[in-house]
Amino acid sequence: MSAGRQLTRGTLYVAVGQGTFLVTGFLLHAILARELSTASYGIFNVAMTLLVWVEITVNNGVPSALSKFLPDASLSEKSVLRAAARCQALISLGVLLVMFLAAPLLALLLRDPALTGYLRLALVDVLAMGAYAYYRGVLNGWRFFRQMALAITAYALAKLVAITLLVVLGFGIEGALAGNVLASLGGFAAGYFWTRRRQRAVNALPDDVEGTDPARPGQTVGEGQILSFVLPTVVFTLASNVLLGLDLMEVQALLPPDLVGYYSAAVKLAEAPRLVLLAFTFTLLPSLSHAIAALDEARARHYLEQTIRLLALVLLPLIALVTATAEGAMTFVFPAEYRAAAPILTVLILAYTAYAVYITLVTTLLAENRPRRALLIPLVVLPVEAAVIWLAITRLGVIGAALGSLASVAAAATVVLIYVFRRYRPSPGLRTLARTGLASAAIWLIARWWSPSGLALLVAYGLLAGLYLVLLLLLGELRARDLGQVGSWLFIRKDKES
């Protein structure tokens, strides 16, 4: 299989897993918004946002190192796995202890002392998520994308079932946070299951073999090398996530609880492109790392061209559908009073789309082992963003937070795009952009004219998605055999992607 096809196939597998996570997440938040008051729903989302930031230390550090080092055939695979496991355990325990003690300070900064208890309960998940993320990183580093998608799916389903059950039984916010811990344990179990056979084989090898070949000596990797990559990567990812989530924190600090609930609901729907397109970052990092380690710039350029094309094919119709049906989408997932959040969603979908472009293509810097250069982008933007959002809220109210976030994230995405095009000079794919833009504009016009709501919204999304594919076929952007190839990748078992 060609390099480009392998990347596309792997991305498709992980996108299916992320898509399952997205759909179950929408269903979960539809249930929570009905079982909890608007204020309680807002508190839950603030606590979860803070937890996501904290868990970046275990979710993106060592797993990213595994994605970087495992594809390098010159390294001892056994030493990489062992050093990564030790680092992950140390980081998980340390972060849990520090943040447990810091919870009262965070609650004070957000002007809600009641958050302390919720934050401490949420933080128990750090240990469970650390274990799940480790095995997810191993699967990604091995390029076992099918199995990785299954682990993500298991986590998503466990989250939906556990949180729903505990909330419906009357345990409220505490039940939702406890259910989140149980979900991470489910993801950990699935990840362990899919890695156990190869890990046993690796453990039986001497420490200094290259990859998994006992006849070839490989460079041993220690904890210091893992941490030297992890620390700047974690700080970068944390800064990038704060770049995206700072608006919600400022809304929590400056506006009434009901507006926090409405804003967090819009955030959940706007997350669609970011969550689905995590598939690109999961598959692009190990693939680019492999190409760069082999000094194969042509292959790296090809990977980037494939990724840019897939970004356009996915993001433009998403923007069209969400902006055209924002009110219907809000009232379909959430109770009727959340209709007020529709204008916020219209702006936030643009901000999250810009973030998807930024976080996908900044993977190039991580693959080049330049996390410090990647970190510089959000560190420069963040202070400006904090001031812009604060000023926008004081002048424009809650919609100002969304506009400030959009401006800041778009600036970061622009910087990354400039770097990628100057460094690798990938083809910009102007024909793809034109065809995709035309097809997306067509479905936007139809959706605006139709204005579907309720169950009709799902029918509309299905029909418009089908129409989008038909238009791409007619315009020559897709071919019938492309769709047939996608079907074969999904439903015909081929385990050579590893």
Side-chain angles (χ1 to χ4, degrees):
M1 182 184 298
S2 70
R5 286 178 177 269
Q6 186 180 32
L7 176 64
T8 304
R9 183 182 181 185
T11 300
L12 181 63
Y13 283 143
V14 182
V16 170
Q18 288 297 130
T20 303
F21 182 81
L22 179 67
V23 172
T24 56
F26 284 163
L27 181 57
L28 175 61
H29 281 273
I31 294 169
L32 290 176
R34 287 163 174 80
E35 293 291 331
L36 302 174
S37 67
T38 304
S40 294
Y41 178 71
I43 290 172
F44 170 75
N45 279 301
V46 169
M48 287 299 296
T49 298
L50 289 170
L51 177 64
V52 168
W53 290 359
V54 170
E55 287 187 337
I56 285 168
T57 55
V58 297
N59 222 351
N60 296 85
V62 169
S64 293
L66 288 164
S67 300
K68 167 68 178 172
F69 292 118
L70 283 178
D72 190 339
S74 68
L75 303 178
S76 162
E77 185 172 318
K78 181 177 181 179
S79 70
V80 171
L81 292 172
R82 183 172 57 193
R86 290 174 178 172
C87 290
Q88 186 77 328
L90 178 64
I91 292 170
S92 299
L93 289 169
V95 167
L96 175 60
L97 177 61
V98 170
M99 296 310 302
F100 191 88
L101 296 175
L105 177 60
L106 290 173
L108 182 63
L109 289 173
L110 293 174
R111 302 181 184 181
D112 188 356
L115 274 173
T116 299
Y118 296 131
L119 289 176
R120 284 179 166 170
L121 176 57
L123 286 166
V124 176
D125 186 56
V126 170
L127 296 179
M129 177 56 71
Y132 163 52
Y134 170 81
Y135 284 103
R136 195 188 63 227
V138 171
L139 290 170
N140 193 25
W142 285 342
R143 288 183 279 183
F144 283 13
F145 297 129
R146 183 196 296 269
Q147 293 88 336
M148 182 178 171
L150 291 171
I152 293 171
T153 299
Y155 169 67
L157 294 174
K159 190 168 187 174
L160 173 64
V161 172
I163 293 179
T164 298
L165 181 61
L166 291 173
V167 170
V168 169
L169 288 175
F171 291 100
I173 298 174
E174 293 89 346
L177 296 174
N180 187 59
V181 179
L182 295 176
S184 296
L185 292 174
F188 159 58
Y192 174 78
F193 176 81
W194 288 115
T195 60
R196 71 193 192 286
R197 290 184 180 176
R198 176 161 174 168
Q199 195 135 22
R200 287 172 187 165
V202 170
N203 289 339
L205 295 171
D207 290 345
D208 60 348
V209 303
E210 180 177 308
T212 56
D213 186 353
R216 302 175 67 183
Q219 179 182 344
T220 300
V221 176
E223 288 80 0
Q225 290 168 273
I226 297 290
L227 289 175
S228 67
F229 179 86
V230 163
L231 293 179
T233 300
V234 164
V235 176
F236 157 73
T237 310
L238 177 59
S240 295
N241 275 262
V242 173
L243 179 70
L244 187 64
L246 187 60
D247 53 342
L248 179 58
M249 295 301 107
E250 294 200 43
V251 168
Q252 162 70 26
L254 298 174
L255 295 175
D258 284 353
L259 288 180
V260 178
Y262 294 145
Y263 197 91
S264 62
V267 165
K268 286 303 162 187
L269 291 190
E271 280 184 336
R274 182 180 72 89
L275 293 176
V276 171
L277 294 176
L278 279 175
F280 291 95
T281 61
F282 283 142
T283 57
L284 185 60
L285 178 57
S287 300
L288 265 182
S289 296
H290 190 271
I292 291 169
L295 302 178
D296 191 344
E297 189 164 315
R299 184 151 55 104
R301 182 184 303 110
H302 181 64
Y303 284 147
L304 288 167
E305 289 173 348
Q306 288 283 93
T307 299
I308 292 168
R309 177 173 181 262
L310 291 171
L311 283 171
L313 288 171
V314 173
L315 290 177
L316 291 181
L318 265 176
I319 293 173
L321 289 177
V322 174
T323 55
T325 62
E327 186 171 313
M330 290 302 307
T331 54
F332 177 75
V333 177
F334 300 101
E337 61 266 27
Y338 283 82
R339 180 181 285 108
I344 302 171
L345 174 60
T346 301
V347 177
L348 285 180
I349 191 66
L350 298 175
Y352 276 73
T353 298
Y355 184 83
V357 173
Y358 158 74
I359 204 64
T360 300
L361 295 183
V362 81
T363 301
T364 305
L365 286 165
L366 300 180
E368 294 173 349
N369 204 18
R370 293 177 174 173
R372 291 177 180 83
R373 183 175 292 186
L375 173 61
L376 186 63
I377 299 171
L379 287 185
V380 170
V381 174
L382 270 173
V384 179
E385 182 188 30
V388 168
I389 292 176
W390 177 84
L391 183 62
I393 290 176
T394 57
R395 297 290 181 87
L396 301 174
V398 69
I399 194 68
L403 290 169
S405 179
L406 171 58
S408 304
V409 175
T414 301
V415 171
V416 173
L417 279 168
I418 291 172
Y419 175 81
V420 167
F421 277 94
R422 285 187 174 180
R423 170 70 177 81
Y424 291 95
R425 301 187 183 280
S427 171
L430 295 180
R431 288 185 179 181
T432 292
L433 287 174
R435 293 165 178 168
T436 307
L438 183 60
S440 299
I443 64 174
W444 182 87
L445 288 170
I446 295 171
R448 288 287 292 178
W449 168 78
W450 189 350
S451 297
S453 60
L455 290 177
L457 185 69
L458 291 182
V459 176
Y461 283 166
L463 292 175
L464 290 172
L467 175 61
Y468 174 70
L469 291 176
V470 170
L471 290 173
L472 290 181
L473 289 168
L474 293 175
L475 292 169
E477 183 58 36
L478 291 179
R479 292 168 292 182
R481 68 181 183 182
D482 293 329
L483 300 180
Q485 184 68 68
V486 168
S488 71
W489 288 346
L490 283 174
F491 302 115
I492 297 176
R493 181 174 180 80
K494 296 179 182 177
D495 292 324
K496 294 183 179 179
E497 67 266 20
S498 61

